[in-house]
């Protein structure tokens, strides 16, 4: 539930099975949850838990880029941070840790020293696999323009990404004149690297409805009674009974428990909070509340994580077609986009700093999250694209094709957002690679032949159920989905226009008329 205990590196026998000689690795996209952090809200001070924790040494050595307006030059301002809060008389006081610490104090929800170390170690593990063992990525880099780096606007996600990248390429593996890396971010209203209920009204409505269903299902059960017998005495006066929708919510209680388990004894709760059976109950209910919607509803998948999944698959398809569009996002010298600064023509790896809700949403939407616990800190998913060895990449046909999506598609919920014709030649390559596969010609579909996708979660191979039928996976290994099968599954919940989808169906019920299983 809390800190990830990574497995040992793959043995040579495991590597031979996981990365057979018949397949060449072509693209790796890694999505990582941030590392250990302080709780996002100060809870259970009545139980003796300090509101502010002394685990953020970065507060002693903050740096900011500052501009000298007269000289027109940038320099680095070094400063230390102290946090101010309300005192007993409502006046200002400096926040302090459990032993009176005033420096190295974490803000709420901040990446801690432990989180920085664990994400750096993740980078080391990625280097060991993709550089040392597989020789897929270079050991020394002149720049980072073959690596797509992206993070959400939440500081702990960005900082975790930076730590992981520095772990994968430490100082001795970077050229002396190594230029600044490019990290992609988005405005909060455009963010799709986590399920964005703040900017997507329909997703907010769906998530509230599924959360209420969990509350109705669990609040008056023997499992909830068990939790109340353990910890209700520490609940606030206005909400004494532990419940899915109590204040704090059950998932908020879990957040605080997990944060304390990841750190030192100075910030621990009473032993009742760590009751083994109680932890299992909390995890089971929280996972259902937050992630059951992805497993049951195509619309939930679409507005929750569909746009991001569309991006990931678009990059896979573009990779098979020699699509250079993605390199422009990170390549080019200042003021320009284009090829990488070292002449790179394509992305080989993606590393995205995100959240537990991102990882669980992806896995659940692919039908691979049954029986899983809440993603621990520093968890990661690797989406790996392979091609059969000695198979030449298909060339993108330079033909003009005007077509209309099939009638069944145009009448669907997604089709209502589409409803127009496309000129393939006029469309950019990114538009072409994102179009749903049921609108492709057989010739275009054939360009995906001999390409395969595999999903690994914390170094465990995951099975996508829709890839099990014969013809939808590599012969002899169901974990390798054909790219066509994988794209077909993801297309079903990739919205044509995420922002439009977020404004639609606001007066409709949240639940589908019948179960819409994920992963098919």
């Amino acid at each position: 539930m809390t800190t990830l205990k990574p497995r040992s590196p793959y043995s040579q026998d495991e590597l031979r099975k996981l990365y057979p000689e018949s397949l060449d690795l072509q693209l790796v996209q890694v999505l990582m949850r941030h590392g250990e952090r302080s709780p996002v809200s100060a809870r259970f001070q009545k139980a003796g838990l300090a509101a502010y924790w002394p685990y953020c040494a970065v507060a002693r050595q903050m740096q900011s880029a500052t501009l000298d307006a007269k000289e027109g030059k940038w320099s680095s301002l070094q400063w230390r941070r102290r946090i101010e809060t309300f005192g007993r008389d409502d006046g200002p006081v400096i926040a302090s840790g459990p032993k009176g610490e005033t420096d190295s104090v974490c803000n709420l929800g901040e990446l801690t020293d432990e989180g920085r170390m664990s994400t750096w170690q993740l980078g080391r593990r990625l280097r060991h696999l993709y550089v040392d063992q597989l020789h897929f990525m270079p050991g020394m880099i002149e720049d980072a323009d073959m690596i797509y780096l992206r993070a959400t606007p939440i500081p702990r996600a960005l900082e975790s990404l930076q730590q992981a990248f520095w772990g994968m390429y430490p100082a001795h593996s970077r050229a002396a004149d190594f230029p600044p890396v490019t990290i992609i971010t988005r405005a909060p209203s455009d963010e799709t690297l986590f399920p964005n209920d703040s900017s997507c009204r329909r997703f907010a409505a769906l998530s509230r409805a599924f959360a209420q269903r969990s509350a109705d299902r669990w609040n008056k059960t023997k499992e909830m009674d068990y939790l109340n017998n353990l910890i209700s005495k520490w609940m606030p006066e206005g909400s004494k009974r532990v419940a899915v929708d109590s204040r704090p919510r059950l998932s908020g209680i879990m957040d605080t428990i997990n944060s304390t388990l990841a750190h030192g004894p100075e910030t621990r709760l009473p032993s009742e909070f760590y009751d083994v059976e109680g932890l299992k109950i909390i995890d089971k209910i929280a996972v259902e509340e937050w992630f059951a919607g992805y497993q049951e509803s195509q619309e939930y998948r679409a507005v929750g994580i569909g746009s991001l999944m569309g991006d990931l698959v678009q990059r896979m398809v573009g990779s098979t077609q020699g699509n250079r569009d993605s390199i422009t996002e990170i390549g080019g010298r200042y003021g320009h986009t284009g090829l990488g600064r070292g002449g790179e023509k394509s992305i080989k790896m993606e590393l995205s700093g995100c959240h537990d809700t991102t990882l669980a949403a992806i896995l659940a939407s692919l039908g691979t999250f049954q029986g899983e616990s809440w993603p621990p800190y520093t968890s990661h998913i690797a989406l790996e694209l392979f091609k059969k060895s000695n198979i030449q990449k298909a060339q993108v046909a330079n033909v003009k094709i005007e077509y209309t999506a099939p009638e069944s598609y145009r009448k669907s919920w997604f089709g209502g957002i589409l409803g127009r014709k496309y000129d393939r030649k006029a469309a950019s390559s990114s538009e072409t690679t994102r179009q749903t596969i049921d609108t492709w010609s057989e010739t275009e579909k054939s360009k995906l032949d001999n390409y395969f996708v595999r999903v690994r979660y914390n170094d465990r191979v995951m099975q996508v159920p829709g890839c099990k039928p014969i013809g939808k996976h590599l012969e002899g290994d169901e974990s390798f989905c054909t790219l066509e099968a994988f794209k077909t599954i993801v297309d079903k919940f990739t919205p044509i226009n995420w922002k439009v989808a977020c404004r639609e169906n606001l007066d409709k019920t949240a639940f589908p008329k019948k179960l819409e299983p994920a992963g098919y």
Side-chain angles (χ1 to χ4, degrees):
M1 286 176 64
T2 176
T3 295
L4 176 69
K5 296 180 180 179
R7 57 151 291 161
S8 57
Y10 294 131
S11 67
Q12 288 302 311
D13 285 342
E14 289 174 312
L15 280 177
R16 280 191 288 270
K17 294 177 182 177
L18 289 168
Y19 298 91
E21 291 184 357
S22 61
L23 297 178
D24 292 330
L25 188 59
Q26 178 152 323
L27 174 68
V28 176
Q29 298 181 87
V30 176
L31 299 103
M32 55 174 287
R33 185 191 177 188
H34 57 76
E36 289 80 351
R37 57 160 171 75
S38 56
V40 295
S41 294
R43 308 182 182 101
F44 297 115
Q45 291 169 268
K46 182 179 176 181
L49 184 64
Y52 293 94
W53 294 10
Y55 303 132
C56 294
V58 69
R60 297 174 178 265
Q61 46 203 339
M62 307 291 283
Q63 295 189 40
S64 298
T66 53
L67 174 66
D68 184 322
K70 183 177 180 180
E71 300 291 332
K73 295 181 179 180
W74 289 91
S75 60
S76 179
L77 169 67
Q78 297 184 348
W79 54 288
R80 68 174 181 174
R81 182 194 68 198
R82 287 183 175 176
I83 297 174
E84 191 173 84
T85 186
F86 289 100
R88 293 183 179 180
D89 63 352
D90 217 40
V93 296
I94 294 298
S96 59
K99 293 185 178 180
E101 303 94 337
T102 54
D103 296 313
S104 300
V105 171
C106 305
N107 216 325
L108 297 176
E110 184 172 358
L111 188 71
T112 61
D113 301 337
E114 184 69 28
R116 289 178 178 276
M117 288 188 285
S118 70
T119 47
W120 188 86
Q121 290 291 349
L122 172 60
R124 294 294 295 168
R125 296 199 301 277
L126 293 174
R127 180 179 179 85
H128 183 67
L129 176 61
Y130 293 114
V131 176
D132 301 336
Q133 292 185 306
L134 298 176
H135 308 293
F136 173 68
M137 296 294 290
M140 171 72 73
I141 53 175
E142 302 291 326
D143 59 64
D145 285 2
M146 70 178 71
I147 307 173
Y148 177 94
L149 301 171
R150 179 180 165 189
T152 73
I154 312 300
R156 58 181 176 268
L158 173 61
E159 292 161 359
S160 294
L161 170 69
Q162 293 166 338
Q163 290 285 147
F165 177 74
W166 239 221
M168 187 171 180
Y169 282 105
H172 66 82
S173 62
R174 304 189 304 267
D177 57 349
F178 189 80
V181 298
T182 302
I183 298 179
I184 303 295
T185 62
R186 290 192 179 192
S189 60
D190 291 342
E191 189 56 77
T192 57
L193 197 47
F194 58 74
N196 193 342
D197 58 352
S198 296
S199 299
C200 183
R201 292 177 62 195
R202 181 56 177 167
F203 180 67
L206 294 177
S207 58
R208 283 195 302 269
F210 274 85
Q212 186 58 53
R213 187 186 71 173
S214 291
D216 295 340
R217 179 177 292 172
W218 290 102
N219 280 355
K220 296 181 180 179
T221 60
K222 65 180 188 303
E223 289 87 354
M224 199 64 72
D225 289 340
Y226 185 90
L227 296 178
N228 275 279
N229 288 335
L230 286 173
I231 62 176
S232 63
K233 59 184 138 182
W234 290 293
M235 292 290 284
E237 290 301 324
S239 184
K240 290 298 292 182
R241 181 170 173 81
V242 177
V244 171
D245 51 358
S246 58
R247 294 194 176 186
R249 298 182 69 88
L250 185 63
S251 57
I253 296 171
M254 182 182 73
D255 175 77
T256 297
I257 292 173
N258 287 346
S259 295
T260 63
L261 282 170
H263 296 92
E266 297 85 0
T267 50
R268 285 292 171 95
L269 290 160
S271 60
E272 289 89 337
F273 283 89
Y274 309 113
D275 177 84
V276 173
E277 184 61 26
L279 292 177
K280 290 180 181 178
I281 292 171
I282 292 172
D283 184 82
K284 178 180 180 179
I285 296 173
V287 165
E288 178 189 305
E289 177 196 357
W290 283 73
F291 308 127
Y294 298 102
Q295 297 171 324
E296 301 177 18
S297 166
Q298 184 163 299
E299 185 184 12
Y300 202 106
R301 296 189 282 272
V303 292
I305 205 67
S307 184
L308 174 63
M309 289 301 297
D311 295 346
L312 296 170
V313 172
Q314 178 179 333
R315 189 164 287 116
M316 293 179 194
V317 175
S319 178
T320 71
Q321 299 180 357
N323 179 5
R324 299 181 180 181
D325 280 0
S326 61
I327 195 69
T328 64
E329 297 174 287
I330 59 171
R333 302 197 177 273
Y334 290 115
H336 302 277
T337 58
L339 298 181
R341 287 168 287 186
E344 296 87 353
K345 297 180 180 179
S346 61
I347 300 294
K348 291 193 70 175
M349 189 170 195
E350 173 183 341
L351 187 58
S352 292
C354 48
H355 305 270
D356 44 10
T357 53
T358 312
L359 304 194
I362 291 172
L363 294 172
S365 295
L366 293 174
T368 62
F369 200 63
Q370 290 85 349
E372 296 288 338
S373 298
W374 196 276
Y377 295 119
T378 319
S379 292
H380 74 285
I381 295 172
L383 297 170
E384 298 171 319
L385 176 68
F386 298 83
K387 67 174 179 178
K388 280 193 174 180
S389 300
N390 302 319
I391 298 294
Q392 295 297 319
K393 294 181 182 179
Q395 298 297 315
V396 180
N398 185 22
V399 296
K400 179 177 179 179
I401 304 175
E402 188 173 285
Y403 73 102
T404 303
E407 183 178 3
S408 60
Y409 183 80
R410 285 183 280 118
K411 289 183 177 180
S412 70
W413 176 70
F414 296 105
I417 303 172
L418 181 61
R420 63 182 185 272
K421 291 185 176 182
Y422 287 86
D423 181 332
R424 286 273 183 92
K425 190 175 182 180
S428 72
S429 55
S430 64
E431 287 175 336
T432 303
T433 55
R434 201 176 182 89
Q435 290 165 10
T436 57
I437 201 166
D438 62 356
T439 64
W440 290 19
S441 69
E442 291 303 315
T443 300
E444 290 169 312
K445 290 179 183 178
S446 70
K447 292 178 171 51
L448 304 187
D449 291 349
N450 301 306
Y451 287 92
F452 301 89
V453 178
R454 183 176 62 195
V455 181
R456 292 188 306 110
Y457 171 50
N458 289 335
D459 297 319
R460 286 189 290 124
V461 174
M462 310 302 283
Q463 300 275 353
V464 179
C467 297
K468 289 184 178 181
I470 295 174
K472 295 183 181 294
H473 60 263
L474 179 69
E475 185 175 355
D477 193 334
E478 295 178 356
S479 69
F480 288 97
C481 299
T482 65
L483 178 53
E484 180 178 346
F486 192 82
K487 177 172 169 55
T488 299
I489 291 168
V490 173
D491 279 351
K492 292 175 183 176
F493 62 92
T494 300
I496 300 300
N497 186 313
W498 176 69
K499 290 195 172 185
V500 171
C502 286
R503 297 193 299 267
E504 293 209 331
N505 298 331
L506 297 177
D507 58 343
K508 302 291 179 59
T509 179
F511 303 100
K513 293 181 179 179
K514 62 179 182 178
L515 192 66
E516 298 169 340
Y520 295 94

